[in-house]
Amino acid sequence: MSFAAFSAALPLLLLIAVAIAAVVALAAQPWWAERRRAQHWAKPFPAAWRRILRRRVPIVARLPLELQLRLKRLIQVFVAEKPFIGCQGQRITNEVRVTIAAQACLLLLGQQRADCYPRLRQILVYPGSFVANRERPLGAGVVQEQRQTMSGESWTHGQVILSWADVVAGAADPSDGHNVTLHEFAHQVDQDSGAANGRPWRPNRALRRRWAIVMSQAFEQLRNEPSTLIDSYGASDPAEFFAVVTEVFFERPNELAVEAPAVYAELAELYRVNPMQW
């Protein structure tokens, strides 16, 4: 090839080289991510973090030893990969990170992968309840904007927002069936397949159909007959019902299995754990 021909072809060659490099980089990302996770997985769990779990997240002590070990490994991956952002003066400390990560990772104990909420980009933490603007349709195309006080929120584009005071209160009593962290991360599980609709991803049509039947019936029952176990907020819509029964599943599993055995069975299959054995 002559110098003139090479010079003419050089921009194309550079473009091809850049494209190849980009493809190689994209292909290598999962490998590098898995390697980093394996490194976090292999690290000893810090003694200071164990003290945080004992003080802040008593539900961990219920778990069988093998699940405690798995939870600690998931916590290490979660803390290493997920950015925490303090809002309104909230300081982000290891106590904040570990307390939230421990509860969020309870929902992942049964999965085989080491990744934690792949769509989650960041966790925003407020000192206490925060105010959010919401639109409420009034009909005839009229929408009213309202300001609501919130203890937690989950967004489809990869954010969870939490009130630290409510995180602490929810974790302190692991038997009351109310836990804002479990609630909002249940929404993240739901949103992994798109918008939250109370139908998290299931691997085949038969499971999706059974889930829809069981959860729809239980949702309608809660709307018609208030429960002393399942919070009435779950009757707001199917997405909230799923998040609310997730709280109960992990914190009051025996009562849920008695009151709504089909719901318990669906959640046990989804999360691949059986809290009644803890």
Side-chain angles (χ1 to χ4, degrees):
M1 178 183 293
S2 68
F3 179 77
F6 177 77
S7 298
L10 185 58
L12 178 60
L13 293 173
L14 289 174
L15 182 62
I16 293 172
V18 169
I20 292 173
V23 170
V24 170
L26 286 173
Q29 282 181 359
W31 182 82
W32 281 110
E34 288 301 321
R35 184 176 180 181
R36 288 196 305 270
R37 288 178 190 129
Q39 291 172 344
H40 298 313
W41 199 267
K43 290 179 181 178
F45 196 76
W49 291 17
R50 288 199 296 271
R51 291 192 290 272
I52 292 170
L53 292 181
R54 286 196 296 269
R55 184 172 68 255
R56 289 296 193 191
V57 197
I59 195 173
V60 175
R62 291 182 183 175
L63 303 177
L65 290 179
E66 66 273 16
L67 288 184
Q68 289 190 30
L69 178 58
R70 179 167 179 78
L71 180 65
K72 289 173 181 177
R73 288 171 169 170
L74 287 168
I75 291 169
Q76 288 174 285
V77 173
F78 189 103
V79 170
E81 292 188 349
K82 306 303 180 185
F84 286 76
I85 299 173
C87 304
Q88 293 184 350
Q90 173 64 46
R91 292 180 60 243
I92 300 299
T93 63
N94 281 336
E95 184 165 15
V96 172
R97 294 186 185 94
V98 172
T99 301
I100 292 173
Q103 296 171 83
C105 290
L106 280 174
L107 278 60
L108 308 179
L109 279 176
Q111 73 172 23
Q112 298 304 310
R113 307 188 313 271
D115 60 337
C116 300
Y117 301 100
R119 295 176 182 268
L120 178 64
R121 296 188 297 108
Q122 56 191 206
I123 302 97
L124 282 66
V125 187
Y126 285 79
S129 299
F130 53 94
V131 176
N133 293 324
R134 289 291 173 270
E135 292 183 346
R136 184 169 71 94
L138 300 178
V142 179
V143 176
Q144 181 184 56
E145 188 172 279
Q146 295 181 329
R147 291 171 63 82
Q148 295 182 359
T149 302
M150 315 279 288
S151 60
E153 195 168 24
S154 175
W155 293 358
T156 54
H157 53 271
Q159 288 183 317
V160 168
I161 309 172
L162 294 167
S163 153
W164 173 239
D166 289 284
V167 167
V168 171
D173 186 350
S175 300
D176 65 357
H178 297 286
N179 184 300
V180 67
T181 311
L182 295 181
H183 185 104
E184 300 308 332
F185 278 92
H187 283 315
Q188 283 291 304
V189 171
D190 193 3
Q191 290 162 342
D192 193 44
S193 59
N197 58 8
R199 296 189 180 187
W201 181 84
R202 309 300 290 127
N204 61 62
R205 182 178 298 178
L207 292 178
R208 290 192 292 271
R209 176 175 171 77
R210 191 182 68 194
W211 175 279
I213 293 172
V214 169
M215 292 300 184
S216 295
Q217 290 177 347
F219 172 65
E220 290 301 325
Q221 181 174 347
L222 182 63
R223 294 182 67 185
N224 296 322
E225 302 174 20
S227 166
T228 58
L229 177 65
I230 303 173
D231 193 283
S232 59
Y233 186 57
S236 304
D237 60 55
E240 296 302 342
F241 178 77
F242 168 60
V244 166
V245 293
T246 290
E247 297 177 70
V248 180
F249 174 76
F250 282 97
E251 293 203 339
R252 299 179 68 179
N254 294 286
E255 294 100 316
L256 182 63
V258 171
E259 180 170 315
V263 171
Y264 184 91
E266 290 299 314
L267 293 172
E269 187 167 342
L270 172 70
Y271 292 119
R272 299 181 184 177
V273 291
N274 185 3
M276 287 196 296
Q277 296 178 348
W278 302 347

